[in-house]
Amino acid sequence: MKQANAAGGPIGGIRADKLYAEAQAWRAAAPYSAYLYIWGMAWMASAILTFVGQWRDWELLQPVLFLLALVLTAAVLLRRRRTASERPAQDGVQSALLVAAAVVAVVWLLTRGLVGIDPFYWPVLKGLALTAAYTALFPRLGWVLGAFGLWMLALTVTVVWMYLGYAPVLIGGFGGLSMVTLGAMIRMRDKGMNAQ
């Protein structure tokens, strides 16, 4: 049985197909790493502004930071649309990213929109939205996204349980750091695949 698996039998073939599909999903995710950098940096900068806001009146810069991230996202999106005709569409990763974006949009509408949720809980909802986004990408990109999702969930629960007053700084800072880290991992993996 070991020889059959080593020779590419049914079990080895399924594993190889799964690894190939995961590698292709990582390759398809490469163009989206820019969004992870933009929003990860925005979350970290927002956490820093919130922390420094104890001593300085810099909280008014939060909407400016959000608008700057939106403008950068729109610029990257427009640039990608221009080059999209040159590349084949990657439906699986795009649909997973759309689900993740929808979750983030719903959380944003709940926190900033017509539904009046106490701003004290916004960072908690951001942490749960990021957990949901990582979980939505987990089936396509593999265990790394599952680990990110579990880590973000553990961080959010721990902050809610013991450090709720520090939620904007901790969840925003570490959540943003996880997005930047994931963007860097996607870039490095894509460069490694292109080098082979």
Side-chain angles (χ1 to χ4, degrees):
M1 180 146 185
K2 287 183 182 177
Q3 292 174 346
N5 288 341
I11 295 174
I14 292 170
R15 174 110 172 109
D17 289 344
K18 184 178 179 187
L19 289 175
Y20 177 75
E22 188 177 304
Q24 292 304 316
W26 277 90
R27 181 174 292 231
Y32 301 101
S33 63
Y35 303 115
L36 290 168
Y37 288 133
I38 291 169
W39 288 100
M41 292 290 204
W43 279 32
M44 288 191 294
S46 176
I48 290 169
L49 285 177
T50 301
F51 181 73
V52 173
Q54 300 175 69
W55 302 288
R56 303 270 186 207
D57 192 17
W58 288 358
E59 286 294 316
L60 296 174
L61 294 176
Q62 295 284 3
V64 173
L65 186 61
F66 180 74
L67 288 175
L68 178 64
L70 278 179
V71 167
L72 288 173
T73 300
V76 170
L77 184 63
L78 290 174
R79 184 173 176 216
R80 298 262 187 246
R81 283 187 174 254
R82 286 187 204 141
T83 60
S85 60
E86 301 169 7
R87 281 192 303 257
Q90 302 291 339
D91 292 335
V93 172
Q94 285 179 347
S95 61
L97 286 171
L98 285 175
V99 168
V103 168
V104 171
V106 167
V107 168
W108 184 82
L109 286 173
L110 288 175
T111 57
R112 309 257 188 211
L114 299 174
V115 180
I117 294 180
D118 189 350
F120 192 67
Y121 295 105
W122 291 350
V124 175
L125 291 174
K126 282 172 57 176
L128 293 175
L130 190 57
T131 300
Y134 288 151
T135 305
L137 293 170
F138 165 64
R140 299 288 298 167
L141 297 178
W143 69 269
V144 173
L145 271 291
F148 271 81
L150 286 174
W151 178 81
M152 198 63 211
L153 180 63
L155 174 71
T156 304
V157 168
T158 303
V159 167
V160 167
W161 185 30
M162 300 183 72
Y163 307 106
L164 189 57
Y166 299 106
V169 175
L170 294 174
I171 292 176
F174 286 115
L177 184 62
S178 74
M179 285 191 274
V180 170
T181 303
L182 180 59
M185 288 173 66
I186 290 172
R187 283 277 184 207
M188 286 190 294
R189 193 158 180 172
D190 186 51
K191 284 182 183 179
M193 287 181 200
N194 289 336
Q196 290 177 353

